[in-house]
Amino acid sequence: MPSFHNGAVEIAYLDEGEGDPIILVHGFASSKNVNWVYPTWVSELRKNGRRVLALDNRGHGESAKLYDPAQYSIPTMAGDVLALMDHLGIPQADIMGYSMGGRMTAWLGLNEPQRLRSAILGGIGIGGLIEGTGPGESVAEALEAPSLDDVTDPVGRTFRAFADQTRSDRKALAACLRGTRELMKKEEAARIDVPVLIAVGSTDDIAGSATALGEIIPGSEVLDIPNRDHMRAVGDKVYKTGVIDFLSRRG
């Protein structure tokens, strides 16, 4: 698996296919494989003539594990995406992030719009981006608990079980969660000036309302993924079809 360094931090990534580049940014406690390869996103996008890049966020997958929350701010983690683009000489790309990756993508849309052809915010609505309904301290504590049996908080149990399933470094994930707490202000989201698609499962109570976020981000489109929660929306056909349609209309 190829990798590069952003400063002292080693970041693993994949780079497959040919065509206009799209960069995939996975969610908290996931990885490029779990979020994008196994649910066939990479193969579907390649079939549609795209060059597909995906990174393991710091603290995740095959990338470096760090244990200081200060090393996981959203601007710092979004900087890893820009560093990947610079490493490969890509001036501009479509970027799709899921959940935490969606927060990183929104930050890039606000602060580095010239690097984005479009932003696709998956699994992130007004709650996850602005109101703070995403995983909190109870999830960090669940990750640090001796075992899943010691966790009573239902959201904490979900994320702990997921982290165990993906054999993640739970201490690095807890640091990441504590470092990525800063939310985007409503007035900042209203200044995002790139084409945006917001795609959220209709039963996703972690992301919050896609429609409410769509009303804030000018000109954004909203895609509801029917009968899917935060974990199960990722590989849904409606999500894939909607994204490919959105990208095709971007030219």
Side-chain angles (χ1 to χ4, degrees):
M1 186 59 63
S3 67
F4 71 100
H5 281 81
N6 185 16
V9 180
E10 186 174 15
I11 302 293
Y13 69 95
L14 63 79
D15 180 1
E16 298 183 10
E18 296 177 1
D20 289 333
I22 181 167
I23 300 173
L24 309 179
V25 189
H26 68 75
F28 174 71
S30 191
S31 69
K32 62 185 181 311
N33 288 337
V34 171
N35 216 141
W36 307 119
V37 177
Y38 303 152
T40 72
W41 271 105
V42 173
S43 56
E44 286 291 323
L45 288 164
R46 285 185 63 182
K47 270 193 267 183
N48 279 270
R50 306 298 298 232
R51 177 185 179 186
V52 185
L53 304 107
L55 72 162
D56 278 333
N57 290 322
R58 54 177 60 204
H60 297 72
E62 297 172 85
S63 290
K65 308 304 185 293
L66 311 166
Y67 303 100
D68 179 358
Q71 293 179 292
Y72 289 102
S73 71
I74 290 291
T76 298
M77 295 183 73
D80 292 335
V81 179
L82 296 174
L84 173 61
M85 295 175 72
D86 293 343
H87 173 70
L88 296 173
I90 297 172
Q92 191 179 54
D94 297 290
I95 300 182
M96 174 163 66
Y98 195 83
S99 195
M100 180 183 74
R103 294 177 61 206
M104 294 161 61
T105 303
W107 188 93
L108 290 167
L110 174 65
N111 294 283
E112 299 285 344
Q114 72 283 359
R115 304 301 298 268
L116 279 72
R117 290 179 75 248
S118 71
I120 301 166
L121 310 181
I124 192 86
I126 193 169
L129 188 66
I130 295 170
E131 294 175 348
T133 59
E137 181 62 22
S138 63
V139 173
E141 290 171 357
L143 291 164
E144 293 173 331
S147 75
L148 180 61
D149 292 338
D150 296 296
V151 181
T152 55
D153 176 73
V155 177
R157 283 185 66 84
T158 298
F159 278 94
R160 172 57 186 263
F162 187 56
D164 286 347
Q165 179 190 337
T166 54
R167 297 179 182 163
S168 298
D169 184 324
R170 293 183 287 102
K171 285 189 168 32
L173 292 183
C176 174
L177 189 55
R178 291 181 173 124
T180 53
R181 284 199 172 137
E182 188 175 348
L183 299 168
M184 184 173 281
K185 295 180 177 65
K186 184 176 178 181
E187 53 270 27
E188 291 175 323
R191 294 205 311 271
I192 294 175
D193 190 25
V194 299
V196 173
L197 175 68
I198 305 165
V200 174
S202 63
T203 61
D204 185 340
D205 53 6
I206 291 173
S209 170
T211 302
L213 182 59
E215 289 170 355
I216 295 168
I217 300 177
S220 59
E221 298 181 30
V222 171
L223 174 66
D224 286 316
I225 307 166
N227 306 311
R228 290 287 186 250
D229 62 18
H230 196 69
M231 298 296 184
R232 293 189 305 135
V234 175
D236 189 87
K237 285 182 186 172
V238 172
Y239 182 17
K240 291 191 187 115
T241 303
V243 166
I244 288 164
D245 173 64
F246 175 77
L247 290 169
S248 71
R249 289 185 283 110
R250 301 258 38 87

